[in-house]
Amino acid sequence: MFINGPLFWFLMGVVFLGVGAGFRAFAADRGWVLTWWKGLLALVWYAIFALTVFAFGTLVGENEAAAGLRFLAFGLFLCLVLGIVLWRLMGHTPAVDRRASSPGTPGGPAGP
Amino acid sequence: MSDDEKTGLSRRNFLMVTGLAGLAAQTGGLVAAGIRTGRDPRTFTGWESYNPGTQFFDRRRFEFDGPAYSPVGSVSRPGHRTDYVFGRVATFERAFARNPDWTLDDPIEGLGLPPDLEAFYREFPERLEWDFRTFSETIPNNRRDRREYGDHYRLAEAYAAGFEAHRALIPSPQSPPEVSDYLRPRGRGARIPEPVPFRSPELAAEFVKELAHRYGATLVGIARMNPDFLYSDGWRGCPPGHDFSRLPEHWEYAIVVGVPMEWDVVLASPHSSTSSDAYDRISTTAFRLEGCLKSLGYPVRTHSPDAGYDLIVPPLAVEAGLGELGRTGYCITPELGGNFRTAVLTTNLPMAVDRPIRFGVAEFCNKCKLCAEGCPSGAISFADSPDGMVIRGYEHWYINNGACYNYWRETMGPMGCRLCIATCPYSRKNSWLHSVARDLDARDPTGAVSSALLVMQERFFDAPDAEAYRRPPHGEFANYRPPPRFLDTERYLDIPVTRPGKGG
Ligand code: SF4
Ligand code: SF4
């Protein structure tokens, strides 16, 4: 069976890399400076989102679709709240990077 | 905008679109994978899987030195004709058949009951009321209901009948333990050989457990026999006048084996489910194990649903480390929850015994009253803890088995109820979702996980009201969940069917 088989999870892994690349491009577009802890937090957020969706599917598969929908609504609400917090943290520029990006500092762009 | 910038932007846009499309694909893939996982038959623990992998919960860190239960008062053994509900109602039925005009307003002596049952009813008058109601009201009503709606349950009954047909092949002891337990099964009176010694009790236990799993047991544990859990009378094969005060010398150990009822069927309780699948499987398993041990020269008596019982099982299952006693009065295990039907083999093969476990059921049951809220007969206690619930000298949860049996006789389909098993949050198959919940709860000393799980269970999962399970006009013969497709009479049978209600 394709779904849940080894090829399926391999392709899911490949698609995940695409999601990661898209996120990096999105971060660059918004001018977010990505650090290791921001990447980790984004991964945790994505894991919560993925688990919520997977749990929804599992409950549907167990003939508990109503419970699955309620769980999904709860999980997505949690993801929304955590997502807002994450968004604000993403915009936070670490001090060392701020210095590095201010004009005239060593390693920063040249002054006018 | 320079060409370089344009290229950078379009590459960035491409990556962002790819990421978005990937997100959508991952979401769809996760839902599809989840649905397949939820339907995976391998998550039905113990469902025809004959291997030790079914006892997957690592009990070691939850073990404690037993016994799990110690007497808190003067101990008396349960009576086969009093505490054992089937023995009691059969005795009452015979007395009531001889005195059909007897009512609760008449003196109890008018029923001509055996003295022990008369004394029991004086001590527990509400049991007399329930048993009277069962035979004077519930069974006649049920006959009418079956004439009207019975065809709706034809396939559920036929499914159960297949397992019940096998019951006739499971023998019951025909002579006292000192005789029958030493006879070869189906050996036409031939005695078992001299016992073959094992190298150590540990190896004997290891061998017995391996074999029990291979013969079909999902769970197996070993306890030292406790005479307090033997019936005080009515052992199989014992003639009138038998001395039941003496524990047979060879009943030193109790091997407790268990299997679940089929998971999708038990959820269709009370009207479209059956216990016969598990009764048949565990009786067969136990009989196989009896044959094996007797062939090695050890006397054995099997206590099983099809062969009958001379003892009560739940306390032995607890002492054998299989689980904890729940609000429902039966053993709740980590792998199967309360969906656990049992048999016991009493023997003198020296074996290392297991230790009881605590994995959070006591605390969970004190908070959770789902089974009590869903019970159509009100048989399950709503108390906040079992403190003060003392029966026969032991303090633990127990139910009003007269009320419970009364509702059994109200149900349609294969007789019985099983709702408290279906509604219990522990009785869930082994999908990752339930495994994570179970493992987190067992390892959380704060109780926060169980509180959160309970809130989710109550808020997310629908369940009919207790009344909806009852017969019309109180209810509509609702089931906890719809039966699996293979039990859908209207799909398969070309007969007119009257549906009792939307939940049936
Ligand atoms: S089997 Fe049914 S009636 Fe009996 S205690 Fe359980 S829920 Fe109540
Ligand atoms: S439903 Fe709740 S209270 Fe009842 S046995 Fe299960 S966990 Fe305990």
Side-chain angles (χ1 to χ4, degrees), chain B residues 429-451:
Chain B
K429 62 182 195 150
N430 187 30
S431 70
W432 70 274
L433 201 55
H434 306 304
S435 301
V436 167
R438 175 181 48 228
D439 289 348
L440 284 179
D441 175 41
R443 286 164 177 79
D444 167 34
T446 67
V449 172
S450 59
S451 297

Side-chain angles (χ1 to χ4, degrees), chain B residues 58 178 207 255 280 345:
Chain B
D58 186 355
E178 291 76 9
F207 172 80
I255 306 166
D280 182 34
L345 294 97

Side-chain angles (χ1 to χ4, degrees), chain B residues 89-425:
Chain B
V89 295
T91 313
F92 179 89
E93 184 180 15
R94 282 193 295 275
F96 189 54
R98 286 192 304 270
N99 304 278
D101 297 327
W102 188 88
T103 69
L104 287 171
D105 296 330
D106 298 325
I108 190 171
E109 295 80 11
L111 274 173
L113 293 165
D116 54 344
L117 184 53
E118 201 175 296
F120 177 86
Y121 280 143
R122 285 188 199 287
E123 193 181 346
F124 301 99
E126 81 287 352
R127 305 281 170 114
L128 176 62
E129 288 166 26
W130 279 107
D131 293 349
F132 174 70
R133 191 199 287 187
T134 297
F135 290 97
S136 62
E137 185 186 319
T138 309
I139 291 177
N141 281 341
N142 188 253
R143 284 199 194 105
R144 281 192 290 276
D145 291 338
R146 282 176 184 268
R147 275 197 294 276
E148 191 166 350
Y149 305 114
D151 281 341
H152 184 62
Y153 303 95
R154 285 297 286 273
L155 287 188
E157 285 175 343
Y159 172 66
F163 292 108
E164 282 156 15
H166 192 235
R167 162 180 289 207
L169 302 178
I170 304 286
S172 198
Q174 298 299 317
S175 43
E178 291 76 9
V179 179
S180 76
D181 299 7
Y182 288 84
L183 300 179
R184 285 177 183 274
R186 300 191 181 283
R188 295 200 189 88
R191 274 185 68 88
I192 57 174
E194 283 301 303
V196 186
F198 278 79
R199 287 190 186 277
S200 70
E202 287 72 25
L203 284 172
E206 181 185 309
F207 172 80
V208 163
K209 289 178 182 178
E210 177 77 26
L211 268 278
H213 284 299
R214 285 174 188 273
Y215 288 144
T218 306
L219 304 180
V220 53
I222 300 169
R224 210 167 271 286
M225 190 59 208
N226 181 342
D228 292 352
F229 307 144
L230 286 175
Y231 284 118
S232 57
D233 60 290
W235 300 348
R236 291 157 300 158
C238 294
H242 184 90
D243 180 7
F244 294 104
S245 65
R246 238 175 6 91
L247 175 74
E249 272 175 23
H250 61 283
W251 286 7
E252 285 183 69
Y253 298 91
I255 306 166
V256 187
V257 285
V259 297
M261 294 174 283
E262 295 204 355
W263 295 91
D264 54 351
V265 178
V266 79
L267 287 178
S269 292
H271 308 288
S272 300
S273 69
T274 178
S275 309
S276 301
D277 51 359
Y279 285 171
D280 182 34
R281 285 175 179 146
I282 201 56
S283 302
T284 306
T285 298
F287 186 48
R288 287 170 176 161
L289 194 54
E290 176 185 330
C292 166
L293 296 181
K294 280 186 167 176
S295 82
L296 290 169
Y298 294 95
V300 178
R301 174 164 286 212
T302 293
H303 311 259
S304 73
D306 288 356
Y309 294 96
D310 303 328
L311 44 74
I312 49 172
V313 183
L316 287 169
V318 169
E319 299 297 351
L322 293 180
E324 279 184 70
L325 210 68
R327 181 180 290 273
T328 44
Y330 47 67
C331 178
I332 296 198
T333 70
E335 292 88 350
L336 308 172
N339 184 9
F340 177 53
R341 297 297 190 179
T342 46
V344 175
L345 294 97
T346 41
T347 183
N348 65 0
L349 164 63
M351 291 170 287
V353 294
D354 292 297
R355 299 199 307 156
I357 57 169
R358 275 193 205 108
F359 65 106
V361 172
E363 295 75 17
F364 199 97
C365 282
N366 287 351
K367 287 188 239 178
C368 166
K369 295 180 174 132
L370 285 171
C371 52
E373 286 160 6
C375 173
S377 70
I380 303 173
S381 166
F382 278 89
D384 292 330
S385 83
D387 295 351
M389 292 183 74
V390 178
I391 189 161
R392 297 185 297 269
Y394 285 85
E395 187 177 63
H396 58 78
W397 293 111
Y398 64 87
I399 66 164
N400 177 343
N401 64 13
C404 174
Y405 182 76
N406 176 269
Y407 181 67
W408 284 29
R409 301 310 300 257
E410 186 174 318
T411 58
M412 303 296 289
M415 194 188 68
C417 172
R418 299 162 288 273
L419 252 177
C420 42
I421 295 172
T423 51
C424 177

Side-chain angles (χ1 to χ4, degrees), chain A residues 1 12 46 62 64 70, chain B residues 26 36 431 434 460 481:
Chain A
M1 213 42 98
M12 287 288 274
Y46 195 69
E62 290 183 7
E64 296 286 359
R70 287 174 200 136
Chain B
Q26 286 241 300
R36 182 143 302 246
S431 70
H434 306 304
F460 293 172
R481 292 289 180 267

